[in-house]
Amino acid sequence: MKIDERHLVQLAAVVKTGGVTEGAALLGLSQPAMSRTLSMLEARIGEPLFIKGRRPLQPTPLGRALADHGQTMLSASRKASDVVESFRVGKSGVVRVGGTPFFMDALIAGMIAEFQNLYPDVRIDQTYGYFPDLRAALHADQIDLAICPIDILDEGSGLEFQQILPGRNVVACRMTHPLLLKRRPQPGHLLDFPWVSPPPGSPLLADLRSMLLSFGATEIKIRYSGGSLLSVVNYMKAADALTIMPHSVVFALRNEKSITALPVNIPHPDRALGLLKRADAPRTPAIDHFARHVRSSFETLKHLIKRHEQAVVWGS
C-alpha cells in the first residue's frame, strides 16, 4: 500500500498540536483541507487514526506510528528549508581558496579563523600554489578564489583581479643579526652573509636574484632553500642568514619577535597581492562574504603595515 507522504506530514502536525485547526495553522493549510486529508487517509488504510470523543485529539496506536513517520519527514523538510535559507544568505556553504604559501600561512589563515567566528557553518578548503597553478585551478573549477601576487592579467584571461595590497619586499633577518648594529647598513654589507632561498616557483626567487644583481653580486650564497614559512623562520632564528620576504609577512610575524626587516632600500616588485576569480563564476553568497572579509581585513592592515614600514624599516 502506497501512502502519500504529504498526508503523513499533515497527520503528524495534528498529533503534535492536538487539533485539526491547530495542525492546519502549523502547516499553513486550511482546516477543511486538513480534515479532508485525514478522512482520505483513514479510508485508505481502513482503520481509525484517532480515538473518538477525546479532546484534544488522541491518536490510536496506528495513528501514532504513522504520525511518527510523518514527523520525521516534517523535520527533514524543515531542515532542508533551513539549509536553503542559510545558503542563500551566505551562512553556510564551502569556500575553496588557494594561495601562495607565505601569504596564506602568515596572513590568510588568521583571517579564515576570524571569518569562521562570524560564519561557523561555512567550511573553508585551502590549498597552496603560485599564480600559474592557481590560474589553472580556477579555470578547472577546483578553487573558487585565489589570493596571490600578480603583475598584470593577459587580455581575454577570463579572470577578475582585485588588488588588496601593493607589492613591497624587505630583507628579513633575525632580531639579533649583526647588521642591525650598523646605523645604516649598505647593500654591499648584505653580500657578506648567506641567504635563504624562497621556495621554487615563488616570484620572490626572481626578486632575490634581481636584487642581489643590483647590489653587484656575481654569485648567490644560498645555504637553505625549499622550506615552509615556519621552517624558514626557525632556521633564521638560529642563523645569520638573510632572505627576501613580502613586508606584510614580516609585519604579521612582528609579535613573535623572531625576525625583522633590515633598514635597506631594495627594489620593489611591479605586482600586487589580490583576489583572483573567474569572471564567469556563479555568484555564491558564502564566497562573496569571505572575499569581502579578506578585503576589509587588508584595508585595516594596509595602514598598520605602512606605519610599521616607516618606523621599523626606515626608522622615521
mmCIF file of all heavy atoms in Angstrom, residues 163-190:
data_model
loop_
_atom_site.group_PDB
_atom_site.id
_atom_site.type_symbol
_atom_site.label_atom_id
_atom_site.label_comp_id
_atom_site.label_asym_id
_atom_site.label_seq_id
_atom_site.Cartn_x
_atom_site.Cartn_y
_atom_site.Cartn_z
ATOM 1 N N GLN A 163 42.917 44.192 -6.382
ATOM 2 C CA GLN A 163 44.106 44.424 -5.565
ATOM 3 C C GLN A 163 43.722 44.653 -4.104
ATOM 4 O O GLN A 163 42.767 45.378 -3.805
ATOM 5 C CB GLN A 163 44.884 45.628 -6.081
ATOM 6 C CG GLN A 163 46.115 45.967 -5.244
ATOM 7 C CD GLN A 163 46.906 47.123 -5.822
ATOM 8 O OE1 GLN A 163 47.003 47.266 -7.041
ATOM 9 N NE2 GLN A 163 47.480 47.952 -4.961
ATOM 10 N N ILE A 164 44.484 44.034 -3.207
ATOM 11 C CA ILE A 164 44.239 44.244 -1.782
ATOM 12 C C ILE A 164 45.480 44.769 -1.053
ATOM 13 O O ILE A 164 45.370 45.269 0.069
ATOM 14 C CB ILE A 164 43.748 42.951 -1.078
ATOM 15 C CG1 ILE A 164 44.679 41.779 -1.357
ATOM 16 C CG2 ILE A 164 42.331 42.622 -1.514
ATOM 17 C CD1 ILE A 164 44.238 40.482 -0.687
ATOM 18 N N LEU A 165 46.659 44.664 -1.710
ATOM 19 C CA LEU A 165 47.880 45.152 -1.058
ATOM 20 C C LEU A 165 48.961 45.352 -2.119
ATOM 21 O O LEU A 165 49.202 44.459 -2.925
ATOM 22 C CB LEU A 165 48.360 44.140 -0.007
ATOM 23 C CG LEU A 165 49.342 44.640 1.054
ATOM 24 C CD1 LEU A 165 48.670 45.662 1.976
ATOM 25 C CD2 LEU A 165 49.868 43.471 1.874
ATOM 26 N N PRO A 166 49.619 46.514 -2.128
ATOM 27 C CA PRO A 166 50.708 46.715 -3.092
ATOM 28 C C PRO A 166 51.908 45.839 -2.748
ATOM 29 O O PRO A 166 52.118 45.478 -1.585
ATOM 30 C CB PRO A 166 51.031 48.207 -2.948
ATOM 31 C CG PRO A 166 50.574 48.570 -1.574
ATOM 32 C CD PRO A 166 49.380 47.709 -1.304
ATOM 33 N N GLY A 167 52.692 45.498 -3.757
ATOM 34 C CA GLY A 167 53.863 44.655 -3.531
ATOM 35 C C GLY A 167 55.004 45.434 -2.907
ATOM 36 O O GLY A 167 55.476 46.429 -3.467
ATOM 37 N N ARG A 168 55.437 44.995 -1.718
ATOM 38 C CA ARG A 168 56.565 45.625 -1.027
ATOM 39 C C ARG A 168 57.414 44.518 -0.417
ATOM 40 O O ARG A 168 56.944 43.748 0.422
ATOM 41 C CB ARG A 168 56.088 46.561 0.086
ATOM 42 C CG ARG A 168 55.111 47.636 -0.346
ATOM 43 C CD ARG A 168 55.788 48.739 -1.100
ATOM 44 N NE ARG A 168 56.586 49.603 -0.234
ATOM 45 C CZ ARG A 168 57.270 50.650 -0.664
ATOM 46 N NH1 ARG A 168 57.278 50.929 -1.963
ATOM 47 N NH2 ARG A 168 57.967 51.387 0.154
ATOM 48 N N ASN A 169 58.662 44.435 -0.839
ATOM 49 C CA ASN A 169 59.581 43.440 -0.287
ATOM 50 C C ASN A 169 60.535 44.072 0.711
ATOM 51 O O ASN A 169 60.816 45.272 0.644
ATOM 52 C CB ASN A 169 60.397 42.777 -1.399
ATOM 53 C CG ASN A 169 59.571 41.812 -2.228
ATOM 54 O OD1 ASN A 169 58.506 41.367 -1.809
ATOM 55 N ND2 ASN A 169 60.066 41.482 -3.411
ATOM 56 N N VAL A 170 61.045 43.253 1.621
ATOM 57 C CA VAL A 170 62.078 43.678 2.553
ATOM 58 C C VAL A 170 63.099 42.554 2.679
ATOM 59 O O VAL A 170 62.816 41.396 2.346
ATOM 60 C CB VAL A 170 61.516 44.009 3.958
ATOM 61 C CG1 VAL A 170 60.620 45.225 3.915
ATOM 62 C CG2 VAL A 170 60.787 42.808 4.557
ATOM 63 N N VAL A 171 64.286 42.911 3.156
ATOM 64 C CA VAL A 171 65.278 41.901 3.528
ATOM 65 C C VAL A 171 65.033 41.553 4.988
ATOM 66 O O VAL A 171 65.048 42.425 5.858
ATOM 67 C CB VAL A 171 66.711 42.422 3.327
ATOM 68 C CG1 VAL A 171 67.717 41.397 3.843
ATOM 69 C CG2 VAL A 171 66.951 42.729 1.866
ATOM 70 N N ALA A 172 64.767 40.278 5.251
ATOM 71 C CA ALA A 172 64.429 39.834 6.601
ATOM 72 C C ALA A 172 65.633 39.147 7.247
ATOM 73 O O ALA A 172 66.447 38.508 6.572
ATOM 74 C CB ALA A 172 63.246 38.872 6.560
ATOM 75 N N CYS A 173 65.727 39.293 8.552
ATOM 76 C CA CYS A 173 66.808 38.669 9.322
ATOM 77 C C CYS A 173 66.324 38.435 10.738
ATOM 78 O O CYS A 173 65.253 38.899 11.127
ATOM 79 C CB CYS A 173 68.046 39.557 9.325
ATOM 80 S SG CYS A 173 67.770 41.150 10.164
ATOM 81 N N ARG A 174 67.119 37.735 11.527
ATOM 82 C CA ARG A 174 66.717 37.524 12.918
ATOM 83 C C ARG A 174 66.919 38.806 13.728
ATOM 84 O O ARG A 174 67.658 39.713 13.330
ATOM 85 C CB ARG A 174 67.497 36.367 13.531
ATOM 86 C CG ARG A 174 68.992 36.571 13.691
ATOM 87 C CD ARG A 174 69.569 35.376 14.432
ATOM 88 N NE ARG A 174 71.021 35.432 14.545
ATOM 89 C CZ ARG A 174 71.742 34.593 15.282
ATOM 90 N NH1 ARG A 174 71.133 33.643 15.961
ATOM 91 N NH2 ARG A 174 73.056 34.690 15.336
ATOM 92 N N MET A 175 66.270 38.866 14.873
ATOM 93 C CA MET A 175 66.254 40.102 15.675
ATOM 94 C C MET A 175 67.639 40.484 16.194
ATOM 95 O O MET A 175 67.878 41.647 16.514
ATOM 96 C CB MET A 175 65.296 39.943 16.864
ATOM 97 C CG MET A 175 63.856 39.677 16.489
ATOM 98 S SD MET A 175 63.027 41.114 15.773
ATOM 99 C CE MET A 175 62.854 42.180 17.195
ATOM 100 N N THR A 176 68.554 39.514 16.281
ATOM 101 C CA THR A 176 69.898 39.791 16.815
ATOM 102 C C THR A 176 70.962 39.758 15.720
ATOM 103 O O THR A 176 72.134 39.526 16.001
ATOM 104 C CB THR A 176 70.245 38.756 17.901
ATOM 105 O OG1 THR A 176 70.133 37.426 17.348
ATOM 106 C CG2 THR A 176 69.312 38.881 19.096
ATOM 107 N N HIS A 177 70.567 40.003 14.485
ATOM 108 C CA HIS A 177 71.519 39.944 13.374
ATOM 109 C C HIS A 177 72.560 41.068 13.497
ATOM 110 O O HIS A 177 72.233 42.193 13.868
ATOM 111 C CB HIS A 177 70.768 40.079 12.041
ATOM 112 C CG HIS A 177 71.566 39.620 10.874
ATOM 113 N ND1 HIS A 177 72.566 40.375 10.306
ATOM 114 C CD2 HIS A 177 71.526 38.458 10.168
ATOM 115 C CE1 HIS A 177 73.094 39.726 9.291
ATOM 116 N NE2 HIS A 177 72.477 38.550 9.177
ATOM 117 N N PRO A 178 73.832 40.753 13.195
ATOM 118 C CA PRO A 178 74.892 41.776 13.318
ATOM 119 C C PRO A 178 74.638 43.035 12.484
ATOM 120 O O PRO A 178 75.052 44.131 12.889
ATOM 121 C CB PRO A 178 76.143 41.037 12.805
ATOM 122 C CG PRO A 178 75.846 39.582 13.009
ATOM 123 C CD PRO A 178 74.368 39.436 12.827
ATOM 124 N N LEU A 179 73.962 42.910 11.349
ATOM 125 C CA LEU A 179 73.737 44.093 10.516
ATOM 126 C C LEU A 179 72.827 45.113 11.191
ATOM 127 O O LEU A 179 72.849 46.297 10.838
ATOM 128 C CB LEU A 179 73.135 43.681 9.166
ATOM 129 C CG LEU A 179 74.107 43.058 8.156
ATOM 130 C CD1 LEU A 179 73.377 42.622 6.894
ATOM 131 C CD2 LEU A 179 75.226 44.052 7.806
ATOM 132 N N LEU A 180 72.029 44.664 12.160
ATOM 133 C CA LEU A 180 71.145 45.599 12.856
ATOM 134 C C LEU A 180 71.926 46.524 13.785
ATOM 135 O O LEU A 180 71.382 47.530 14.262
ATOM 136 C CB LEU A 180 70.086 44.823 13.651
ATOM 137 C CG LEU A 180 69.046 44.076 12.813
ATOM 138 C CD1 LEU A 180 68.162 43.216 13.697
ATOM 139 C CD2 LEU A 180 68.197 45.059 12.011
ATOM 140 N N LEU A 181 73.190 46.180 14.051
ATOM 141 C CA LEU A 181 74.022 47.040 14.891
ATOM 142 C C LEU A 181 74.587 48.218 14.102
ATOM 143 O O LEU A 181 75.067 49.189 14.691
ATOM 144 C CB LEU A 181 75.171 46.228 15.503
ATOM 145 C CG LEU A 181 74.745 45.057 16.420
ATOM 146 C CD1 LEU A 181 75.962 44.279 16.887
ATOM 147 C CD2 LEU A 181 73.955 45.593 17.610
ATOM 148 N N LYS A 182 74.567 48.101 12.769
ATOM 149 C CA LYS A 182 75.056 49.207 11.939
ATOM 150 C C LYS A 182 73.982 50.282 11.843
ATOM 151 O O LYS A 182 72.804 49.978 11.724
ATOM 152 C CB LYS A 182 75.409 48.705 10.535
ATOM 153 C CG LYS A 182 76.591 47.739 10.504
ATOM 154 C CD LYS A 182 76.923 47.335 9.087
ATOM 155 C CE LYS A 182 78.139 46.428 9.032
ATOM 156 N NZ LYS A 182 79.368 47.142 9.417
ATOM 157 N N ARG A 183 74.394 51.516 11.870
ATOM 158 C CA ARG A 183 73.435 52.613 11.835
ATOM 159 C C ARG A 183 72.671 52.620 10.511
ATOM 160 O O ARG A 183 71.451 52.751 10.485
ATOM 161 C CB ARG A 183 74.165 53.948 12.045
ATOM 162 C CG ARG A 183 73.247 55.159 12.024
ATOM 163 C CD ARG A 183 74.000 56.432 12.353
ATOM 164 N NE ARG A 183 73.132 57.590 12.229
ATOM 165 C CZ ARG A 183 72.278 58.004 13.160
ATOM 166 N NH1 ARG A 183 72.167 57.320 14.284
ATOM 167 N NH2 ARG A 183 71.534 59.070 12.972
ATOM 168 N N ARG A 184 73.388 52.495 9.419
ATOM 169 C CA ARG A 184 72.763 52.468 8.105
ATOM 170 C C ARG A 184 73.436 51.377 7.263
ATOM 171 O O ARG A 184 74.413 51.637 6.567
ATOM 172 C CB ARG A 184 72.897 53.816 7.401
ATOM 173 C CG ARG A 184 71.975 54.903 7.927
ATOM 174 C CD ARG A 184 70.518 54.602 7.595
ATOM 175 N NE ARG A 184 69.612 55.649 8.076
ATOM 176 C CZ ARG A 184 68.301 55.566 8.015
ATOM 177 N NH1 ARG A 184 67.747 54.477 7.508
ATOM 178 N NH2 ARG A 184 67.526 56.546 8.470
ATOM 179 N N PRO A 185 72.938 50.153 7.342
ATOM 180 C CA PRO A 185 73.544 49.092 6.517
ATOM 181 C C PRO A 185 73.462 49.448 5.035
ATOM 182 O O PRO A 185 72.459 49.982 4.569
ATOM 183 C CB PRO A 185 72.677 47.867 6.838
ATOM 184 C CG PRO A 185 71.989 48.194 8.121
ATOM 185 C CD PRO A 185 71.798 49.668 8.141
ATOM 186 N N GLN A 186 74.548 49.167 4.319
ATOM 187 C CA GLN A 186 74.595 49.410 2.897
ATOM 188 C C GLN A 186 74.361 48.112 2.126
ATOM 189 O O GLN A 186 74.608 47.022 2.646
ATOM 190 C CB GLN A 186 75.949 50.010 2.505
ATOM 191 C CG GLN A 186 76.241 51.354 3.165
ATOM 192 C CD GLN A 186 75.181 52.392 2.837
ATOM 193 O OE1 GLN A 186 74.855 52.601 1.658
ATOM 194 N NE2 GLN A 186 74.627 53.042 3.863
ATOM 195 N N PRO A 187 73.872 48.215 0.898
ATOM 196 C CA PRO A 187 73.619 46.997 0.128
ATOM 197 C C PRO A 187 74.809 46.057 0.052
ATOM 198 O O PRO A 187 74.654 44.835 0.118
ATOM 199 C CB PRO A 187 73.254 47.548 -1.256
ATOM 200 C CG PRO A 187 72.647 48.886 -0.980
ATOM 201 C CD PRO A 187 73.428 49.423 0.180
ATOM 202 N N GLY A 188 76.029 46.630 -0.037
ATOM 203 C CA GLY A 188 77.208 45.776 -0.116
ATOM 204 C C GLY A 188 77.411 44.924 1.121
ATOM 205 O O GLY A 188 77.973 43.821 1.048
ATOM 206 N N HIS A 189 76.960 45.409 2.279
ATOM 207 C CA HIS A 189 77.113 44.637 3.511
ATOM 208 C C HIS A 189 76.325 43.329 3.455
ATOM 209 O O HIS A 189 76.690 42.332 4.090
ATOM 210 C CB HIS A 189 76.641 45.456 4.717
ATOM 211 C CG HIS A 189 77.451 46.680 4.959
ATOM 212 N ND1 HIS A 189 76.923 47.854 5.479
ATOM 213 C CD2 HIS A 189 78.766 46.939 4.741
ATOM 214 C CE1 HIS A 189 77.863 48.762 5.570
ATOM 215 N NE2 HIS A 189 78.996 48.237 5.137
ATOM 216 N N LEU A 190 75.236 43.325 2.722
ATOM 217 C CA LEU A 190 74.374 42.140 2.676
ATOM 218 C C LEU A 190 75.048 40.987 1.949
ATOM 219 O O LEU A 190 74.705 39.817 2.180
ATOM 220 C CB LEU A 190 73.051 42.469 1.981
ATOM 221 C CG LEU A 190 71.959 43.148 2.818
ATOM 222 C CD1 LEU A 190 72.404 44.516 3.323
ATOM 223 C CD2 LEU A 190 70.671 43.305 2.003
#
